[in-house]
Structure formats: C-alpha cells, structure tokens
Amino acid sequence: MRLTLDEYSKYFKMSKEMIHSKLRAKKLNYIIENGVTYIIVTKSSIKPVEPVQENAIKQERPMAPKPMIPKQKTTVAMVLSLYQKENKHLKEKIMQLEEKIDKLIDDKEQMLRDEMSKIEQVYSAKDEQLKTILELVNTKLLSEQRSAVHDVESIDINNNDAKDVEVVDEIVELKEYLRTLDLEPYQRKIVKKRFLAVYNSDIRVIKQNGKLYLNFSKYDYSDLLEY
C-alpha cells in the first residue's frame, strides 16, 4: 500500500519535515510517479483515524460537595474550661521556674560557702612561724601603746592663763566600738570582716588574744569603717 506525503503525515501524525528527513536518510520505502512521491507501507501499520469531533474532550464531572459539619456553638462553660486549662498550665510553668530559681540560689550559696571554706583553709595553711612573729609584734605594739603617755606641756598665753594638756592613746576594742555605732548587725559583720582581711598587713589594726583593737589617737580608720 502506498500513501502520499499528506496521507502519511495524517495517519502517522508526523510533520512533513520529519518525513522528508526520513526519506533522505532512506529510512522509508518510497517511489516517485509523475513527480509525486509515494511512501510504501504495510496495511498492518496503518491504524484508522477517528474523526475529530468538537466535543471530543471529556469534561470532568464535578465532585459532589462534601457535607458541611455544623460548627459547635461556643458556650460560657467551654470558655471557662479553656481558661482554667490555660491557668493550670501557667501555674505549672511558674512552679517550674520557681524551682529552678531556688536551685540556682542554693547552688550559688553553696559555691560561696565552698569559696569561703577554701579561703579559710588557705589562711589556716599559712606558715605558723610567720603568724607567731606577727602575734609577737602586735603584742609588743599593744603594750607600748597602752603604756605610752604624752608629756604634759605648759602653754603660755598672753592673758597669763595656762592649760595643762595630757594626751593618752585611745585604744578601743573593735567589737565594743562597733556596738556604739548605729549599725545593723549585717553592717557590723561587713566592717569586722574588712578589718580581719587587712590586720596582717595594716599596722593600724592591732590584734591581741584573738581580739582586734583600734588606736584613734594615732590612726584614721575612716576607710575601713565605711558602710
């Protein structure tokens, strides 16, 4: 069976350019009669072409709408229940946060206690000989300061009036002096710790028999008594 180029293009749904390309490549059997090219094909390779109708494209049937589920009406009881659940959730969160805060505070206090313990161990591990020397020096200074009395000076004034002046070292125990001040207990502790921290290096602070003494007639302690 032979077909013209138009018939071949129609049956096999192929463009004429493609057909000419296959002919040039000798992939199709053809003959030319009276200037017309015929392509040789077998009957089994030709399928009948159904006529194209205007309404060939099937339209999809619209899907049936889904049944509407009626919305549940919001009631006062539902709102209250929702608020109660939210409040319960928030309370649980607050309790968890409070527990975390308490744990952090406890851990911080424990760290401070451990740090104080380390500091005390360092002080207790100091050279005992050095402590003994410092105690002897402090004892000697205290005894000298207690026994020291300034000489009485006579002062001549134009009106022939004379005043005898006698200055004695004012040595006061730190604990007793702090009681005379208008301080809170925690403020006294802060001041006392300040004196304890410097008594080994500050000659103004005198330690005797485990007690600290101050000499206001010779030294100024305003920097250590600040609170």
Side-chain angles (χ1 to χ4, degrees), residues 100-147:
K100 289 182 179 180
I101 292 172
D102 292 339
K103 187 176 184 302
L104 289 174
I105 292 174
D106 293 339
D107 293 342
K108 186 66 175 179
E109 291 179 350
Q110 184 62 39
M111 289 175 61
L112 291 174
R113 286 193 291 267
D114 294 342
E115 193 68 22
M116 288 295 296
S117 177
K118 291 179 181 179
I119 294 174
E120 291 176 356
Q121 291 177 2
V122 170
Y123 274 104
S124 62
K126 281 185 177 182
D127 188 3
E128 293 296 333
Q129 184 179 2
L130 179 59
K131 287 185 178 181
T132 303
I133 294 174
L134 291 175
E135 289 289 342
L136 291 174
V137 172
N138 287 334
T139 303
K140 185 177 180 180
L141 288 173
L142 181 61
S143 61
E144 290 177 355
Q145 290 171 353
R146 285 181 175 177
S147 61

Side-chain angles (χ1 to χ4, degrees), residues 48-139:
V49 179
E50 296 180 357
V52 179
Q53 298 179 1
E54 294 182 357
N55 298 327
I57 301 174
K58 296 181 180 180
Q59 298 181 354
E60 295 182 357
R61 175 181 289 182
M63 297 179 64
K66 294 182 179 179
M68 297 294 293
I69 300 174
K71 294 183 179 179
Q72 190 175 4
K73 187 177 180 180
T74 304
T75 62
V76 177
M78 293 174 61
V79 174
L80 290 176
S81 176
L82 180 61
Y83 276 113
Q84 288 175 354
K85 290 181 180 179
E86 289 293 332
N87 288 337
K88 183 178 179 182
H89 180 69
L90 291 175
K91 287 180 180 179
E92 292 176 354
K93 286 289 185 181
I94 292 172
M95 291 178 63
Q96 292 176 0
L97 289 174
E98 289 178 349
E99 290 177 357
K100 289 182 179 180
I101 292 172
D102 292 339
K103 187 176 184 302
L104 289 174
I105 292 174
D106 293 339
D107 293 342
K108 186 66 175 179
E109 291 179 350
Q110 184 62 39
M111 289 175 61
L112 291 174
R113 286 193 291 267
D114 294 342
E115 193 68 22
M116 288 295 296
S117 177
K118 291 179 181 179
I119 294 174
E120 291 176 356
Q121 291 177 2
V122 170
Y123 274 104
S124 62
K126 281 185 177 182
D127 188 3
E128 293 296 333
Q129 184 179 2
L130 179 59
K131 287 185 178 181
T132 303
I133 294 174
L134 291 175
E135 289 289 342
L136 291 174
V137 172
N138 287 334
T139 303

